Amino acid sequence: MKKYLLIGTIAFMGTALFTSCGRAGEKAAPEAEFTWEVDRFEDISVLKYRLPGFEQLTAGEKEFIYYLSEAALCGRDILWDQNFKHNLVIRKTIEAIIDTYAGDRESDEFKAFITYAKRVFFANGIHHHYSNDKFVPGFPADYFAILVSGTDESRLPLGEGQDAAVLASMLTPVMFDPSLYARKIDQSEGIDMITASANNFYEGVNQVEVEAYYASVADPADPRPVSWGLNTKVVKTDGKMTEIPWKSGGMYGLAIDRIIYWLEKARGVALSETQKNELDLLIKYYRTADLKTWDEYNVVWAGNTGLSVDYINGFIETYGDPLGMKATWEAVVDYKDMEASKRTGKITENAQWFEDHSPVDPQYRKEKVTGVAASVINVAMLGGDCYPASPLGINLPNSNWIRTEAGSKSVTLANITDAKDNVARGSGFLEEFAFDQAEIDRAVQWGSLSDALHTDMHECIGHASGKLAPGTDPNALKNYASPLEEMRADLFALYFMMDPKMTEIGLMQSDEPAKAQYDNYIRNGFLTQVVRIQPGKDIEQAHMRCRSAIVHWVYEKGKADNVIEVIRRDDKTYVRINDYQKLRTLFGEMLKEVQRIKSEGDFEAGKGMIENYGVKIDQDLHTEMLERYAKLNLAPYSGFVNPVMTPVKDSNGRITDVKIEYCSDFLGQMMEYGRKYAFLPAL
Ligand code: ZN
């Protein structure tokens, strides 16, 4: 489960940098010269992240990181195909055009094509990474045909008997027809979410059939259920439903074999025996697709804490499936930030205290909070669904019974957060949307700490808290499960942020960081987060639905006491918190109800919570936010280019060091990855 950035980032004006990242990336620059933003297009800002302390790692740790990083990059094609079945052929066509198109490359149309290409690269497909809407190319369809016909045909992903013209006419409706494959995921109320979603998890089946199928295979009485459907595509052929597993020798096998190759190398230099066993299980799972092995792996992985280097690699998060079962492929390689991990250590040490003092119904609290291992890490490589758009915090594994029995690991991504903070400072955002100078001052002084604490608490204790009532179906909340789960974690963090315990254990010196967090949360959920949404559209994304639902619910419940006040000043809307303590109480009440909904699997109540508070946007307010935001010239979304790692070998071919270079060319990195890590056929 991931927690995303709350607000967008700003940037410096784009610097012209044309190095290709595979060859001559930019060397690490001293602090003052470090340019965070490497590219800017449409609603996207692409940043670099730094690897602080990497040089101080041992040669063995660096070698381990290097192998895991290669494994992290080898699954890229899998995600592209999962997102949409035509993504790979479109990407290969785009790459061929960029490399070999012989026509005018200075025209406005070609520039519009490059912008489209960047958007597609950033989203790992032709649907927006966040809104899930299909991109509208900024150039006409007949220009696309000209591009394809002007491209080296040997580089085009042509099918049997196909020529460039056939390829172009096949792709034209896919890319240009707005009604075709319009949304990657569609969770609108009352529709068939399977047939309406363009993702590649299901073929020839509808929602009723899929639900009936999984209801027939899953045993609701099993106390340790596997994650049904996690790593398969469901297809219906000749009236028969089958699951095609993603594994070596199966679907995605060619990419999975490359992942296995690098994981085996990593296994050879793993940092402990347990970590070796853990990698053995992961490799076995990739070979068999056996979900029991996946669970075994996760039990070992969750218990394997305290190591200086760790990773995530697999089919993990289910946000991409409207039914929340199929997981997209992702990978992260990371190393521990020792100093900052002391902070999360304090939260973890007190996890049981927080659980025991939580406002939820005692029967839904955990008697024993098991091993919530929390640490602050620096990312060394992002892959799959974590790249280029990266989470700020991750809490895994996702399986409920494993979390209860074996615990979970929770990480805050320090260098990613640091990059975003650096860019956000001085953007003019706070000055525009905060109610007064006191609020701005609080945010400037305490924003970084309060965000870090919120992320830590969301991940370390929020997701890890609570339990289901006996017999509750873990999938009962269906399409509302993700936003409700995020609400649970956010509310837990918000509620305890203002608790005297926080100062008692030395996490904060006063209430000020907590107030800054409340200001920020309410301002974001009530006002600013909708700048990411097109006019007239509803809120779809789970974390955004979560924030909207929380803020509108507490606003309504606190209205009689004027807890949160909406103020109009100079034709602009602001929000002000009049009573922080009452607001805290409301967060607690809401947490109690959301936990009850999850514990009892109360679908109707969960649906009501999300549909009534989390989905709709006040149209006038939306227009106002978009106008005010547009004037700031900010990019609502940001993501990252990866560093470039080069192993240094001795005369025996052994790796003695790994050199890091910071890439400054987003398109260059994308093209490089297209050459180095393309393992799946396009058709
Ligand atoms: Zn979360």
Side-chain angles (χ1 to χ4, degrees):
M1 294 164 209
K2 299 179 197 166
K3 183 168 178 297
Y4 287 86
L5 183 72
L6 302 183
I7 55 166
T9 54
I10 169 70
F12 320 112
M13 288 314 291
T15 8
L17 292 154
F18 300 104
T19 54
S20 167
C21 298
R23 293 186 287 266
E26 178 197 328
K27 290 268 186 290
E31 183 81 12
E33 294 165 40
F34 198 84
T35 313
W36 294 95
E37 185 175 64
V38 302
D39 207 344
R40 180 91 180 260
F41 45 91
E42 296 287 318
D43 54 356
I44 301 291
S45 163
V46 183
L47 314 175
K48 281 181 283 200
Y49 59 91
R50 288 191 294 196
L51 274 59
F54 185 86
E55 289 74 27
Q56 280 80 57
L57 298 173
T58 66
E61 287 167 335
K62 288 181 190 172
E63 185 180 6
F64 187 48
I65 287 175
Y66 173 70
Y67 294 144
L68 289 170
S69 295
E70 288 297 314
L73 296 173
C74 286
R76 180 171 181 248
D77 279 3
I78 298 174
L79 177 72
W80 281 73
D81 191 71
Q82 287 182 312
N83 280 343
F84 178 48
K85 63 185 172 186
H86 297 302
N87 274 341
L88 283 173
V89 68
I90 292 171
R91 194 189 78 206
K92 283 168 203 258
T93 304
I94 288 173
E95 288 166 351
I97 294 169
I98 292 174
D99 271 344
T100 69
Y101 176 62
D104 180 6
R105 299 171 76 100
E106 297 301 320
S107 70
D108 288 346
E109 283 171 326
F110 191 80
K111 284 174 187 156
F113 162 75
I114 291 294
T115 300
Y116 176 77
K118 286 180 178 178
R119 299 183 84 187
V120 173
F121 283 130
F122 190 90
N124 295 293
I126 64 167
H127 299 88
H128 193 280
H129 76 288
Y130 208 82
S131 77
N132 296 311
D133 293 331
K134 191 166 86 175
F135 296 127
V136 181
F139 53 92
D142 51 3
Y143 179 67
F144 178 65
I146 294 170
L147 286 174
V148 175
S149 70
T151 292
D152 178 353
E153 208 167 270
S154 70
R155 286 285 314 276
L156 291 171
L158 299 176
E160 192 71 10
Q162 244 183 8
D163 62 11
V166 173
L167 177 70
S169 63
M170 184 202 101
L171 292 182
T172 296
V174 176
M175 290 164 55
F176 291 87
D177 181 346
S179 65
L180 199 58
Y181 310 118
R183 313 214 56 215
K184 184 167 73 180
I185 313 152
D186 198 333
Q187 303 192 80
S188 312
E189 178 58 11
I191 57 153
D192 184 316
M193 295 186 284
I194 299 281
T195 53
S197 301
N199 58 27
N200 192 20
F201 296 131
Y202 306 94
E203 189 95 42
V205 285
N206 62 37
Q207 189 179 340
V208 174
E209 292 170 316
V210 171
E211 285 174 350
Y213 172 76
Y214 281 108
S216 76
V217 293
D219 172 8
D222 186 351
R224 293 171 181 172
V226 296
S227 304
W228 289 105
L230 188 78
N231 60 344
T232 60
K233 178 173 176 175
V234 174
V235 295
K236 194 162 84 176
T237 33
D238 304 329
K240 196 174 168 293
M241 197 105 107
T242 42
E243 287 186 87
I244 306 173
W246 302 329
K247 60 169 191 162
S248 175
M251 191 170 171
Y252 303 145
L254 294 172
I256 289 173
D257 286 344
R258 296 305 299 166
I259 297 167
I260 291 174
Y261 171 85
W262 289 107
L263 289 178
E264 282 180 330
K265 286 195 166 288
R267 186 208 171 275
V269 296
L271 303 180
S272 74
E273 280 307 308
T274 337
Q275 205 168 35
K276 276 199 170 103
N277 298 340
E278 172 196 306
L279 282 160
D280 279 336
L281 284 165
L282 180 58
I283 292 164
K284 184 178 163 198
Y285 160 70
Y286 272 132
R287 293 211 165 107
T288 59
D290 180 4
L291 288 170
K292 282 241 184 275
T293 307
W294 174 241
D295 281 356
E296 273 176 62
Y297 161 76
N298 275 297
V299 168
V300 179
W301 182 85
N304 199 2
T305 59
L307 293 169
S308 55
V309 179
D310 206 351
Y311 66 94
I312 291 161
N313 190 305
F315 300 103
I316 293 170
E317 299 290 0
T318 57
Y319 303 114
D321 174 10
L323 298 187
M325 284 189 290
K326 313 276 161 211
T328 48
W329 190 88
E330 69 176 39
V332 173
V333 185
D334 59 76
Y335 57 100
K336 210 171 216 173
D337 181 329
M338 294 298 177
E339 201 44 46
S341 291
K342 287 180 190 161
R343 185 183 69 221
T344 49
K346 281 184 188 167
I347 295 174
T348 308
E349 282 161 28
N350 291 284
Q352 191 66 53
W353 186 94
F354 288 116
E355 185 73 8
D356 294 344
H357 293 78
S358 130
V360 314
D361 193 323
Q363 61 174 321
Y364 301 137
R365 291 181 201 148
K366 255 184 208 152
E367 294 80 10
K368 194 171 179 309
V369 183
T370 332
V372 197
S375 48
V376 180
I377 55 146
N378 287 308
V379 166
M381 195 61 72
L382 299 166
D385 216 0
C386 293
Y387 169 84
S390 163
L392 293 180
I394 304 177
N395 180 310
L396 291 171
N398 281 332
S399 162
N400 275 312
W401 75 261
I402 297 177
R403 299 169 72 80
T404 308
E405 293 185 21
S408 61
K409 277 199 272 201
S410 172
V411 294
T412 309
L413 283 53
N415 55 344
I416 296 292
T417 310
D418 182 51
K420 295 199 181 197
D421 281 354
N422 265 290
V423 170
R425 232 167 267 148
S427 67
F429 185 88
L430 268 175
E431 289 74 6
E432 175 60 37
F433 293 106
F435 173 71
D436 60 13
Q437 193 58 41
E439 190 182 322
I440 296 170
D441 293 345
R442 253 196 311 273
V444 169
Q445 192 171 1
W446 302 110
S448 288
L449 173 68
S450 87
D451 280 351
L453 282 172
H454 181 87
T455 304
D456 292 344
M457 296 185 41
H458 172 111
E459 299 292 349
C460 306
I461 50 178
H463 280 308
S465 71
K467 66 174 184 188
L468 300 185
T472 295
D473 173 5
N475 295 319
L477 300 175
K478 297 184 192 173
N479 50 315
Y480 300 107
S482 291
L484 287 164
E485 178 57 23
E486 294 313 318
M487 285 166 74
R488 220 170 56 80
D490 264 0
L491 287 163
F492 205 96
L494 290 164
Y495 178 77
F496 281 115
M497 197 94 183
M498 193 67 83
D499 198 287
K501 187 80 180 173
M502 297 295 283
T503 42
E504 195 188 303
I505 60 179
L507 287 166
M508 309 186 316
Q509 305 307 318
S510 71
D511 271 355
E512 289 300 297
K515 283 187 181 167
Q517 186 59 32
Y518 281 24
D519 295 339
N520 179 65
Y521 201 92
I522 297 298
R523 189 193 325 113
N524 186 37
F526 210 100
L527 302 177
T528 55
Q529 74 162 355
V530 299
V531 301
R532 295 173 155 201
I533 295 175
Q534 307 260 312
K537 294 256 160 89
D538 289 339
I539 302 175
E540 290 280 346
Q541 207 274 345
H543 296 79
M544 288 181 74
R545 285 187 164 189
C546 148
R547 290 190 286 266
S548 175
I550 289 176
V551 167
H552 291 98
W553 193 91
V554 294
Y555 172 68
E556 187 182 289
K557 304 291 168 190
K559 217 167 183 176
D561 295 327
N562 205 20
V563 175
I564 300 168
E565 191 175 355
V566 178
I567 295 165
R568 291 282 296 171
R569 189 178 64 201
D570 304 332
D571 271 344
K572 290 179 178 180
T573 310
Y574 298 89
V575 280
R576 181 174 63 183
I577 300 168
N578 288 320
D579 191 333
Y580 288 91
Q581 285 304 328
K582 277 215 179 96
L583 180 55
R584 180 187 182 217
T585 309
L586 290 169
F587 285 142
E589 283 169 20
M590 192 177 195
L591 174 59
K592 185 178 180 191
E593 173 60 3
V594 173
Q595 181 63 54
R596 184 199 66 75
I597 289 170
K598 176 171 177 173
S599 295
E600 298 173 4
D602 188 344
F603 177 81
E604 284 306 322
K607 176 181 164 184
M609 193 79 104
I610 301 299
E611 292 291 343
N612 295 335
Y613 299 97
V615 176
K616 295 288 171 205
I617 309 170
D618 178 291
Q619 295 300 303
D620 292 339
L621 189 65
H622 196 182
T623 308
E624 180 196 325
M625 286 305 126
L626 289 169
E627 283 171 8
R628 286 166 67 185
Y629 187 75
K631 289 196 184 119
L632 298 172
N633 193 28
L634 305 178
Y637 305 97
S638 58
F640 293 87
V641 281
N642 279 320
V644 180
M645 291 186 183
T646 314
V648 180
K649 293 176 182 172
D650 67 12
S651 53
N652 299 318
R654 270 201 310 261
I655 294 180
T656 55
D657 197 5
V658 176
K659 287 268 167 278
I660 298 291
E661 287 176 294
Y662 294 110
C663 172
S664 292
D665 178 5
F666 172 66
L667 195 59
Q669 181 154 86
M670 289 295 161
M671 295 299 287
E672 182 74 20
Y673 284 5
R675 283 188 291 274
K676 277 181 78 177
Y677 302 106
F679 302 117
L680 297 181
L683 301 163

